[in-house]
Amino acid sequence: EIVLTQSPATLSLSPGERATLYCRASQSVYSYLAWFQQKPGQSPRLLIYDASNRATGIPARFSGSGSGTDFTLTISSLEPEDFAVYYCQQRYNWPPWTFGQGTKVEMK
Amino acid sequence: EVQLVQSGGVVIQPGGSLRLSCAASGFTFSAYWMHWVRQAPGKGLEWVSRIDSDGGATSYADSVMGRFTISRDNAKSTLYLQMHSLSPDDTAVYYCIRDVTHAFDSWGQGTLVTVSS
């Protein structure tokens, strides 16, 4: 089973600041990595698939990068609605499809 | 518009059984793999099960293997998760998800399953 480790656990930032979230895989997942956003009481929403492709309707301030074992989600300038929990997920080696433990982006 | 509408939440006693359903609309249901993912209160996301487009192949997490069964009725555009021998560890919000070739792109609203006496 591929283990995904996200860091940091919590990121405290202000609106307008840049957010950088990390996801490390226990073995290569090539580019088969996705990022999801989850707000309280809501279902997760797909942001990025295949490491760097924005899903339909996702603003350009969200970008993904990386391959192999190290991946990054960047939010270039935080909007108030971006404060949420973010999860990475791999689809290279399944089952199981695995998720990271999440990074909470909170308002400073 | 893709919609995945799940059945309502329920409280069930330990050892009990329950079937969740997820009604799909807005797309050709029979063309897509589907998954169930769960989230225990205050915790992260855990993949539970997957079924291929015609129901011929399924996969399960070790934590539910032998207790849960995923199925689908393509004529009714509905996904199911039959759960047996439920324990408090199964308490979670269960999400049904559409799998396109590149990602889990559409999620249902979630069904809260509470296992408690």
Side-chain angles (χ1 to χ4, degrees):
Chain A
E1 172 176 328
I2 294 178
V3 176
L4 300 179
T5 302
Q6 292 186 239
S7 61
T10 304
L11 203 49
S12 298
L13 295 168
S14 299
E17 289 194 293
R18 182 183 189 90
T20 304
L21 289 67
Y22 301 96
C23 177
R24 173 164 286 179
S26 59
Q27 64 188 77
S28 177
V29 298
Y30 295 85
S31 293
Y32 298 114
L33 190 106
W35 291 94
F36 297 87
Q37 176 194 66
Q38 188 178 32
K39 299 178 183 179
Q42 295 186 16
S43 303
R45 176 175 72 146
L46 176 67
L47 297 176
I48 301 288
Y49 64 92
D50 290 350
S52 60
N53 297 286
R54 273 190 304 277
T56 302
I58 302 303
R61 64 181 182 273
F62 291 92
S63 64
S65 64
S67 65
T69 60
D70 292 293
F71 299 86
T72 303
L73 174 69
T74 301
I75 310 171
S76 59
S77 178
L78 282 163
E79 297 288 338
E81 62 268 28
D82 298 338
F83 293 92
V85 179
Y86 293 83
Y87 294 95
C88 58
Q89 181 224 13
Q90 66 84 22
R91 67 174 188 92
Y92 170 67
N93 189 340
W94 53 265
W97 287 257
T98 51
F99 294 87
Q101 81 280 17
T103 290
K104 182 179 182 180
V105 178
E106 65 176 22
M107 200 174 297
K108 183 187 283 185
Chain B
E1 179 195 3
V2 173
Q3 285 200 317
L4 298 169
V5 179
Q6 300 184 224
S7 48
V10 64
V11 179
I12 190 159
Q13 291 191 337
S17 298
L18 180 65
R19 188 178 79 161
L20 305 183
S21 64
C22 170
S25 62
F27 66 101
T28 304
F29 179 71
S30 60
Y32 293 88
W33 289 17
M34 299 292 293
H35 298 256
W36 291 96
V37 164
R38 69 184 180 182
Q39 186 171 37
K43 302 297 185 183
L45 301 168
E46 178 190 17
W47 173 81
V48 171
S49 184
R50 147 263 177 186
I51 188 167
D52 71 355
S53 57
D54 65 5
T58 58
S59 305
Y60 297 93
D62 288 346
S63 58
V64 306
M65 185 87 69
R67 299 187 300 122
F68 290 13
T69 302
I70 190 172
S71 63
R72 64 192 297 160
D73 185 336
N74 284 345
K76 295 182 177 179
S77 296
T78 302
L79 177 71
Y80 302 101
L81 186 67
Q82 178 71 54
M83 303 186 290
H84 295 292
S85 303
L86 286 163
S87 77
D89 289 343
D90 296 313
T91 294
V93 175
Y94 287 74
Y95 295 101
C96 69
I97 301 158
R98 184 179 78 162
D99 180 345
V100 296
T101 52
H102 49 259
F104 291 6
D105 80 325
S106 300
W107 295 58
Q109 85 277 18
T111 296
L112 176 60
V113 174
T114 304
V115 184
S116 173
S117 54

